[in-house]
Amino acid sequence: IILFLGVSILYGQKYFAEARYFQGLASWQKGQNERALNELSKAANLAPKADLYWRDLAQVYLVRLQEVSQRADLTAEEKNSWASSLIVNAINASKRATAANPQDPANWNIRGFVYRNVIGLRGAEDWAINSYKEAAKLEPVNPYIFTEIGRVYLTKADLAADEPGKTENLKLARENFEKAIS
């Protein structure tokens, strides 16, 4: 009886996590991103080792960040407050995905994507590059990864204050785009 109860609880928890996950995906597809966040967050907390839940949750946080930044009914202070919270949650969700399964390059790609989307914050571009390099170690022939690294270096070149920094970042961007093509 104890064994049966233990197994029932374990599989019941996975079932409820999966149900929440699919409800979250359905809400996301309908454009109900706040509800999607709630459902995906519940799913991820019910099954914290399911990296897929954390990956999708990080992406929905970024979508929600974009929505908040475009809202005209919020003051700049309110937007900054929302943005800070959403950025921290997106980064944490992407970190949880890589912690749950560090051998899946998709987790590192999402982590890099999250950091690439918040470039401008201190060190985000370096974290993005490092995340994409981890993905490249696991999947060295994926052109997407090198394209994304190139995009980060292009952004770094745009943000560079001095000419040598700009030139170096453009050179690194070109090298990664050439790797992607080859």
Side-chain angles (χ1 to χ4, degrees):
I1 293 174
I2 293 172
L3 179 63
F4 175 74
L5 286 174
V7 170
S8 296
I9 290 171
L10 177 67
Y11 283 104
Q13 188 173 6
K14 286 183 180 184
Y15 171 79
F16 286 119
E18 198 70 19
R20 293 289 188 179
Y21 175 73
F22 283 114
Q23 288 173 350
L25 287 183
S27 296
W28 190 10
Q29 290 172 344
K30 292 177 187 173
Q32 301 168 344
N33 296 322
E34 193 165 343
R35 181 163 187 241
L37 272 180
N38 290 334
E39 296 298 333
L40 291 174
S41 181
K42 289 174 186 174
N45 288 319
L46 283 169
K49 292 185 180 183
D51 58 330
L52 174 64
Y53 298 174
W54 293 111
R55 272 197 319 256
D56 287 348
L57 184 60
Q59 292 180 78
V60 177
Y61 277 122
L62 289 178
V63 170
R64 197 72 183 108
L65 176 63
Q66 186 177 20
E67 287 176 351
V68 167
S69 69
Q70 294 173 352
R71 286 183 54 181
D73 63 326
L74 296 175
T75 66
E77 187 176 298
E78 290 171 324
K79 283 183 184 182
N80 286 338
S81 176
W82 274 84
S84 296
S85 174
L86 292 167
I87 289 168
V88 166
N89 288 333
I91 290 170
N92 287 338
S94 69
K95 284 181 177 179
R96 296 284 300 264
T98 54
N101 187 358
Q103 297 305 311
D104 189 344
N107 294 334
W108 290 104
N109 282 326
I110 288 298
R111 191 167 171 176
F113 180 74
V114 167
Y115 284 122
R116 187 173 65 77
N117 277 278
V118 297
I119 286 180
L121 297 179
R122 187 174 32 128
E125 57 275 348
D126 295 328
W127 285 105
I129 290 168
N130 290 337
S131 297
Y132 284 126
K133 285 183 177 180
E134 286 296 321
K137 287 178 190 174
L138 298 168
E139 203 171 31
V141 294
N142 185 340
Y144 169 81
I145 297 168
F146 295 105
T147 301
E148 291 302 304
I149 294 171
R151 290 178 72 185
V152 174
Y153 279 121
L154 274 180
T155 304
K156 280 183 77 166
D158 287 341
L159 297 174
D162 60 349
E163 193 58 39
K166 198 176 280 266
T167 303
E168 178 64 22
N169 285 313
L170 287 173
K171 178 182 156 236
L172 291 168
R174 181 183 184 104
E175 287 174 10
N176 279 284
F177 289 139
E178 288 173 352
K179 280 183 191 176
I181 292 169
S182 69

